[in-house]
Amino acid sequence: MTKGHRALLAAAAAAMLSLPGLAQAGCASGDFTAAQAATGQTLYDANCAACHMTNLSGGSGPALGGAKFKSYLEFTKITGAQLLAFIKSQMPYQAPGSLKSAEYDAIFAHILQQNGYPSGSTTLDAETASCIKMLPYPGKS
């Protein structure tokens, strides 16, 4: 391989890594499925809305949407995987870890959908949560 070929290959690799979704192996377009988010809405209303409000604006629990949520994301730089792990281990407040893993995944999918993150054909789970880019925040603040 010539020096020119190596330079061209390196440039092509760098260009591919800059494309959305290719920088992280195994990451597909869309962070969750719309069906998963719909299931998550029902679960959220039953298990989360009492503290975080139906519109995610926060109450006795912090906001999970809007300007306050955006501010939290910018301050903490929390990843999708970290946020999902926190939800699974600490929520609901009265009974941490009491839901099934797939139920937590669906609730997080609902939260993402309500904040304007894109849905797709990949089901959200603990592994694919590492693909979620929380920033830049896509929602209205």
Side-chain angles (χ1 to χ4, degrees), residues 48-71:
C48 313
C51 294
H52 299 281
M53 309 309 284
T54 303
N55 65 0
L56 287 71
S57 64
S60 60
L64 299 174
K68 289 180 182 177
F69 186 62
K70 177 185 178 190
S71 197

Side-chain angles (χ1 to χ4, degrees), residues 16-117:
M16 287 179 62
L17 288 176
S18 70
L19 294 173
L22 290 180
Q24 297 175 333
C27 293
S29 177
D31 299 324
F32 54 89
T33 67
Q36 188 177 28
T39 298
Q41 180 176 5
T42 302
L43 291 163
Y44 177 91
D45 289 346
N47 296 284
C48 313
C51 294
H52 299 281
M53 309 309 284
T54 303
N55 65 0
L56 287 71
S57 64
S60 60
L64 299 174
K68 289 180 182 177
F69 186 62
K70 177 185 178 190
S71 197
Y72 169 78
L73 295 175
E74 290 172 343
F75 178 75
T76 64
K77 307 291 191 258
I78 195 167
T79 67
Q82 291 169 329
L83 188 51
L84 179 58
F86 175 82
I87 292 168
K88 285 183 174 186
S89 68
Q90 301 297 315
M91 296 290 123
Y93 179 73
Q94 322 83 307
S98 61
L99 303 176
K100 295 176 183 168
S101 184
E103 292 174 323
Y104 284 110
D105 297 341
I107 289 169
F108 190 42
H110 168 68
I111 293 167
L112 292 170
Q113 182 183 60
Q114 293 304 300
N115 281 286
Y117 291 88

